[in-house]
């Protein structure tokens, strides 16, 4: 009888967690889109910073000649 109760509690827990996951799916999709935009923006800012650093480096090398 105890094994049946443990199995039943496990199945109920799995159903509750699966239901919560299904209900949170739009949230996860929104979070994924926001994270993708943040990473793209951070990559663009990093590339612009790297380009500026390269230009200043080259300009300094040309100026020192």
């Amino acid at each position: 009888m105890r094994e049946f109760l443990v199995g039943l509690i496990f199945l109920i827990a799995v159903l509750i967690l699966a239901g919560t996951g299904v209900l949170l799916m739009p949230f996860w999709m929104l979070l994924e889109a926001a994270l993708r935009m943040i990473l793209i923006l951070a990559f663009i800012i990093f590339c612009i910073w790297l380009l500026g650093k390269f230009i200043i480096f080259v300009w300094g090398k040309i100026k020192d000649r």
Side-chain angles (χ1 to χ4, degrees):
M1 190 66 176
R2 192 171 66 187
E3 294 85 4
F4 177 76
L5 187 59
V6 169
L8 187 62
I9 290 172
F10 177 78
L11 288 177
I12 290 172
V14 166
L15 286 174
I16 288 173
L17 289 174
T20 304
V22 168
L23 291 175
L24 286 176
M25 183 58 91
F27 171 71
W28 293 120
M29 291 172 66
L30 247 149
L31 192 63
E32 179 262 337
L35 186 61
R36 181 178 295 178
M37 289 303 215
I38 289 170
L39 287 176
I40 289 172
L41 185 63
F43 181 71
I44 290 172
I45 289 172
F46 175 73
C47 287
I48 292 171
W49 173 79
L50 200 59
L51 178 65
K53 191 123 177 111
F54 177 72
I55 290 172
I56 289 173
F57 174 75
V58 169
W59 194 339
K61 288 291 183 183
I62 292 173
K63 207 174 189 183
D64 288 340
R65 279 189 176 177

